Amino acid sequence: MRKINIFDTTLRDGEQSAGVNLNLHEKLEIARQLERLGVDIIEAGFPAASKGDFQAVQAIAQTVRNCSVTGLSRSVQSDIDAAWEALKDGAEPRLHVFIATSPIHMQYKLRMTPEQVIETAVESVRYAKKYFPIVQWSAEDACRSDLPFLATIIEKVIEAGANVINIPDTVGYITPKQYGDIFSFLKKNVRNIEKISLSAHCHDDLGMAVANSLAAIEAGATQIEGTINGIGERAGNAAIEEVAVALYIRKDYYQAETRLNLQEIKRTSNLVSKLTGMIVPPNKAIVGKNAFAHESGIHQDGVLKEKTTYEIISPQLVGVQSNSMVLGKHSGRHAFRTRIQELGYSLTEEEVNRLFVRFKDLADKKKDITDDDLIALILDERLDTYKNFYQLCSIQVQYGTNQIPTAVVVLKDGEGNDVQEAATGAGSVEALYNALEKALQLPVTLLDYRIESVGSGRDALAQVYVKVSLDGKEASGRGTAQDVLEASAKAYIHAVNRMFVIEKMREEQALAAQ
């Protein structure tokens, strides 16, 4: 069995998804879960891109100890210096440095000759090796590059000290056979190729990212790059969970394996979906809610007689449990703390005490508290980082089929002052959001509103995701509560507060640049 390294770029390429903007605490939460999942490398961000990215990469490198943390860098010394400062305290700091190699990119984007691109690539790798024990070099748009030129530049950067060579399908253009052929060509035509590990990075514009990644493994790649749930720019990246489970289920064919703890897949998928606001489609392979559902009578009959007739993957393999422990209002602090630890969360005694109060309050309203409910409570507590901005104190909504919906909201601003406003609307949510807009005194535009339940049953928690814009800037927010309208209000306030934080960071960056 060949060992395939998993390079997770959820926090870098995944965060480039339209409408996704994770803060430091959210990135740390995802990084901790990726560590529990067992990925080999976490690409935590692009340190030179912004102060926020630098701080996030640095914090993740200092926190994660059981896998390598890397950052992206252009072939520029200042980028490499920023990456080293952010990553130097990591357990195994590594750099991911790239430059474009396709004719169209070299001519129109870089405005460099092929010889200049080779020289720049070699210099950047050689410079990076002064600091980083492991340097990964990527040929951006490799799949539209001239193959003899690609072989030449790869040979040169290996001589300069590169440890991993990444062949990205940057625009999601290539087919599985063509992609495998590129790896085979390089293995035959790069004389020092045996010194390095070959990596595959695929985008899903034509829906072939996972198929291309598996084709690369067949052709000799020993590292696969992708994201949880396949999120990413445009149509996204290869879905890590799909590649890993395909290798496990079809190990007879691929003769390759990863070190992922597959039972953590569903929990990781849920966390990324919650924090990014990107809902997993029900029919999504491996992690969609319909992935293990059977409606056809013939299928149901077969599964009841013998599961393997129609079920090639057991739900338990990826962490979908049908008998998860349920807590209730009579559960004590010890059982509560134990279950949190079993879910993989390390909380301080102060955090446990605060959460236990919220748990008891929820248990008074909801008969059974599931793992999903607990995780929602934990995330709300740990990721509530906007206490210095607007806080929701109370809402009151009046609605009737023959009445005009009316909402009254009370907020506390950043200085501790109460702000109260009322408004009407065509529906309850519109009335609520009109009242919030008046209270904030900001021309906020609602771009997207989505709601889903946490668990099932009429007493399930509601989770609302919104996207708003203000002065041409966008931010997303989420809110969880047993009441749909309360969750809606929390999501709106969360999005506005995030916008203030983002704007504050931009102002700080502008001042630092002066």
Side-chain angles (χ1 to χ4, degrees), residues 95-284:
L95 181 72
H96 181 194
V97 61
F98 74 95
I99 194 168
T101 56
S102 66
I104 190 170
H105 275 243
M106 289 190 289
Q107 180 180 353
Y108 294 105
K109 188 180 79 171
L110 298 179
R111 301 188 184 278
M112 295 169 68
T113 65
E115 292 73 24
Q116 288 173 321
V117 170
I118 291 175
E119 182 182 357
T120 302
V122 168
E123 286 179 358
S124 63
V125 170
R126 190 173 289 136
Y127 182 75
K129 284 298 287 187
K130 294 178 181 179
Y131 304 101
F132 292 91
I134 301 175
V135 173
Q136 172 172 315
W137 181 81
S138 283
E140 186 184 10
D141 205 21
C143 296
R144 294 191 295 175
S145 299
D146 177 65
L147 290 184
F149 173 72
L150 191 61
T152 299
I153 192 171
I154 287 173
E155 191 170 296
K156 298 289 186 184
V157 295
I158 293 174
E159 289 174 356
N163 307 96
V164 181
I165 300 296
N166 182 38
I167 308 300
D169 181 19
T170 304
V171 294
Y173 175 77
I174 206 162
T175 66
K177 184 181 183 305
Q178 290 175 318
Y179 197 47
D181 288 346
I182 291 177
F183 284 84
S184 299
F185 177 88
L186 295 175
K187 292 189 75 173
K188 290 177 183 176
N189 292 279
V190 178
R191 61 178 178 80
N192 50 5
I193 198 82
E194 73 284 348
K195 295 181 180 180
I196 56 89
S197 172
L198 281 170
S199 181
H201 179 114
C202 300
H203 282 261
D204 207 35
D205 297 72
L206 294 178
M208 293 188 283
V210 170
N212 284 337
S213 300
L214 293 170
I217 291 173
E218 287 187 79
T222 54
Q223 177 175 292
I224 295 298
E225 305 187 13
T227 61
I228 300 301
N229 298 338
I231 66 172
E233 246 182 322
R234 306 186 311 278
N237 293 53
I240 288 294
E241 66 278 2
E242 293 182 25
V243 174
V245 174
L247 291 178
Y248 178 83
I249 296 296
R250 294 307 313 272
K251 51 179 172 276
D252 61 316
Y253 179 80
Y254 290 106
Q255 293 293 302
E257 61 185 357
T258 71
R259 76 177 188 106
L260 293 193
N261 178 0
L262 300 184
Q263 291 189 350
E264 289 290 332
I265 282 178
K266 182 60 174 174
R267 186 183 303 169
T268 310
S269 168
N270 289 346
L271 178 68
V272 170
S273 176
K274 280 179 169 61
L275 298 189
T276 60
M278 298 190 72
I279 306 299
V280 176
N283 64 331
K284 165 80 168 62

Side-chain angles (χ1 to χ4, degrees), residues 331-347:
S331 300
R333 192 181 300 267
H334 178 70
F336 176 74
R337 182 188 289 106
T338 299
R339 190 59 193 146
I340 287 175
Q341 292 170 346
E342 290 172 349
L343 288 172
Y345 291 93
S346 298
L347 304 181

Side-chain angles (χ1 to χ4, degrees), residues 321-337:
Q321 303 296 339
S322 58
N323 59 345
S324 57
M325 181 177 176
V326 175
L327 300 177
K329 65 179 181 180
H330 299 299
S331 300
R333 192 181 300 267
H334 178 70
F336 176 74
R337 182 188 289 106

Side-chain angles (χ1 to χ4, degrees), residues 46-77:
F46 188 171
S50 69
K51 182 179 178 181
D53 244 29
F54 179 92
Q55 291 172 339
V57 173
Q58 186 177 56
I60 291 168
Q62 292 170 348
T63 301
V64 170
R65 311 317 292 174
N66 295 318
C67 50
S68 180
V69 178
T70 188
L72 188 68
S73 165
R74 295 169 298 180
S75 295
V76 179
Q77 285 194 12

Side-chain angles (χ1 to χ4, degrees), residues 366-411:
K366 192 174 189 290
K367 181 180 178 182
D368 296 326
I369 309 297
T370 65
D371 289 348
D372 287 339
D373 295 325
L374 282 180
I375 291 170
L377 287 177
I378 292 168
L379 293 179
D380 274 358
E381 174 65 32
R382 292 181 66 158
L383 302 178
D384 184 12
T385 58
Y386 304 113
K387 292 182 172 63
N388 294 328
F389 295 92
Y390 287 99
Q391 294 182 59
L392 181 68
C393 297
S394 67
I395 64 170
Q396 182 176 327
V397 180
Q398 183 177 354
Y399 173 79
T401 54
N402 296 318
Q403 296 176 332
I404 297 174
T406 305
V408 179
V409 300
V410 179
L411 304 179

